[in-house]
Amino acid sequence: MNDLEDDRADYGDRAEAVLDRGGLDALVRALKRRGRTVIGPTVRDGAIVLDELDSADELPHGWGVELEAGHYRIRRRPDGAAFAHSAGPQSWKTYLHPERVRQWTVDRHPVDGPTVRAEEPRIVSYAFLGVRPCDLRAIRILDRVMGGGRHRDPDYVSRRTGAFLVAVECTEPGATCFCVSMGAGPGVDAGYDLALTELVDASGHRFLCRSGSEEGAAVLAELPRRSADEAVRAAASRVVREAAEHMGRSMPPVDLRSLMRDSLDAERWDDVTSRCLSCGNCTMVCPTCFCTTTEDVTDLTGDHAERWRRWD
C-alpha cells in the first residue's frame, strides 16, 4: 500500500441505506458543511462535464449520452436519472493533477539581487460525486505513480489526501466501454467513501447507498434515509449485472505489457503518427496520463520570472 491509501480497503463496518432525490441533495449539503468543494457531472456546452456543484439540482437529471468512436451527443431521457450516462470527455485527473501548476517565482532586486519563492501546494478539500468504477481504478494508478515511492508529487498529494469519493455504479455503459474485460466495473468493490446505485423503476427514483469508510458512514448517518431491503438490493444487483451484459466492447485477453514492448517498430504507430494534429486531446481525456514538461516565462522587464509545470 502506498502513502495515499487509507482505511477504505479494509473498512469492515459498512452502513447501507436508501436515499431519494432529496437525500442526494442532502448529501451535497452535508459535504459542503464539512468544508469540501463538491465536484460532479453537470450539463454545459452540449456535453456532460465535471464542475463545482452547489446542489444536486445541477446534476444531469434526465440526460443521457450517445457515445461511439468519434461521436458524442447528449440526449434527453424520460426518467430523470442523474447518473445514467457513461464517462464524459473529462476525468478527475483535471482536479488532482491540473493542467498547469506554478512551481516557483523569482524576482530580481537592483540591490538585494534575485529572490526565489517556491510555490506552496494549494490545499483543497475535495468531494468527488459520481466517480465511475473505471475512474476509481485510474485514481489508484495516479496514487501509485504520483503519491507513492521516493518521488512523490507534493501538489498531487495535497489535493488527493483526504479527498472524499462518492462512487456511482454504471447502469448504462457507452458503446466504447470495456470495463468488464479489465475487471474495473461496472460495479465497485473498494476505494470509495460512499457508493451509489441509481434505480429508476415502478417503485420510484432512489439510490442504494453504502459506505466504504468511517467518514462515509458518518456522512450517511446525517442524511434522510430509509433501510435497504432485499428487494432494493436485488434491483441494484440486477441493473449492474445488465450493464455488464451490454458492454460495448472488450479487451482481448493478452499481456498488454509484452504486446506493447514487442511492437515498438510496428507500422501501426507510423499510421497513427501521420494523422496526429498535436492537439493534445489524448492527454486531456486520458484519466491516467501523468507526463509533464516545464516552461519558464518572464515579464517584459526581465525582473520577474516563473516556472510552470504543464501536461506534455
Side-chain angles (χ1 to χ4, degrees), residues 37-49:
T37 299
V38 180
I39 306 296
T42 191
V43 176
R44 189 180 70 232
D45 299 332
I48 296 178
V49 299

Side-chain angles (χ1 to χ4, degrees), residues 20-87:
D20 58 15
R21 181 163 170 171
L24 192 62
D25 196 51
L27 171 59
V28 175
R29 294 197 302 269
L31 293 171
K32 290 177 70 68
R33 281 197 306 270
R34 291 169 175 257
R36 295 188 179 276
T37 299
V38 180
I39 306 296
T42 191
V43 176
R44 189 180 70 232
D45 299 332
I48 296 178
V49 299
L50 299 176
D51 205 349
E52 184 173 347
L53 303 179
D54 290 322
S55 76
D57 291 337
E58 297 177 88
L59 291 167
H61 294 280
W63 287 97
V65 299
E66 298 174 1
L67 179 63
E68 211 2 309
H71 177 83
Y72 178 92
R73 293 289 186 276
I74 59 173
R75 59 177 175 81
R76 273 292 187 182
R77 296 177 56 92
D79 55 12
F83 300 107
H85 57 272
S86 53

Side-chain angles (χ1 to χ4, degrees), residues 173-237:
T176 58
C177 291
F178 54 90
C179 65
V180 171
S181 60
M182 301 297 292
V188 297
D189 54 4
Y192 58 85
D193 293 285
L194 289 174
L196 302 175
T197 310
E198 187 172 26
L199 299 170
V200 185
D201 53 29
S203 298
H205 189 181
R206 61 218 188 277
F207 304 85
L208 176 63
C209 181
R210 62 186 189 274
S211 66
S213 71
E214 292 184 6
E215 186 178 8
V219 171
L220 181 56
E222 299 176 11
L223 309 180
R225 63 200 184 281
R226 62 181 176 85
S227 299
D229 55 26
E230 285 303 320
V232 172
R233 296 188 188 97
S237 178

Side-chain angles (χ1 to χ4, degrees), residues 7 35 53 60 72 94 172 179 184 256 267 275 280 299:
D7 67 343
L53 303 179
Y72 178 92
T94 304
E172 189 167 315
C179 65
L256 288 177
E267 294 182 358
R275 293 181 279 112
D299 65 2

Side-chain angles (χ1 to χ4, degrees), residues 14-180:
R14 299 176 185 270
E16 187 181 58
V18 177
L19 309 178
D20 58 15
R21 181 163 170 171
L24 192 62
D25 196 51
L27 171 59
V28 175
R29 294 197 302 269
L31 293 171
K32 290 177 70 68
R33 281 197 306 270
R34 291 169 175 257
R36 295 188 179 276
T37 299
V38 180
I39 306 296
T42 191
V43 176
R44 189 180 70 232
D45 299 332
I48 296 178
V49 299
L50 299 176
D51 205 349
E52 184 173 347
L53 303 179
D54 290 322
S55 76
D57 291 337
E58 297 177 88
L59 291 167
H61 294 280
W63 287 97
V65 299
E66 298 174 1
L67 179 63
E68 211 2 309
H71 177 83
Y72 178 92
R73 293 289 186 276
I74 59 173
R75 59 177 175 81
R76 273 292 187 182
R77 296 177 56 92
D79 55 12
F83 300 107
H85 57 272
S86 53
Q90 295 171 292
S91 74
W92 306 95
K93 179 185 73 172
T94 304
Y95 296 93
L96 295 173
H97 179 43
E99 181 181 0
R100 295 183 78 238
V101 174
R102 188 166 59 186
Q103 296 182 303
W104 49 256
T105 61
V106 58
D107 290 284
R108 183 170 57 187
H109 191 272
V111 177
D112 300 330
T115 301
V116 180
R117 297 179 182 86
E119 194 78 8
E120 295 296 327
R122 182 188 174 204
I123 305 300
V124 184
S125 181
Y126 280 122
F128 293 157
L129 173 59
V131 184
R132 302 294 177 166
C134 55
D135 288 318
L136 283 176
R137 178 70 65 87
I139 290 173
R140 289 204 291 269
I141 292 174
L142 290 178
D143 286 350
R144 186 171 70 247
V145 174
M146 306 191 70
R150 293 181 300 158
H151 304 290
R152 304 172 73 211
D153 182 272
D155 189 74
Y156 178 86
V157 173
S158 69
R159 293 167 179 270
R160 176 68 176 91
T161 300
F164 191 94
L165 305 183
V166 182
V168 174
E169 296 188 309
C170 286
T171 58
E172 189 167 315
T176 58
C177 291
F178 54 90
C179 65
V180 171

Side-chain angles (χ1 to χ4, degrees), residues 7-8 10-15:
D7 67 343
R8 293 187 183 102
D10 301 319
Y11 177 66
D13 188 16
R14 299 176 185 270

Side-chain angles (χ1 to χ4, degrees), residues 254-274:
V254 297
D255 183 345
L256 288 177
R257 180 178 299 179
S258 299
L259 179 64
M260 297 286 285
R261 181 196 63 207
D262 297 337
S263 62
L264 294 178
D265 297 324
E267 294 182 358
R268 174 65 174 169
W269 302 123
D270 294 330
D271 175 54
V272 173
T273 302
S274 67

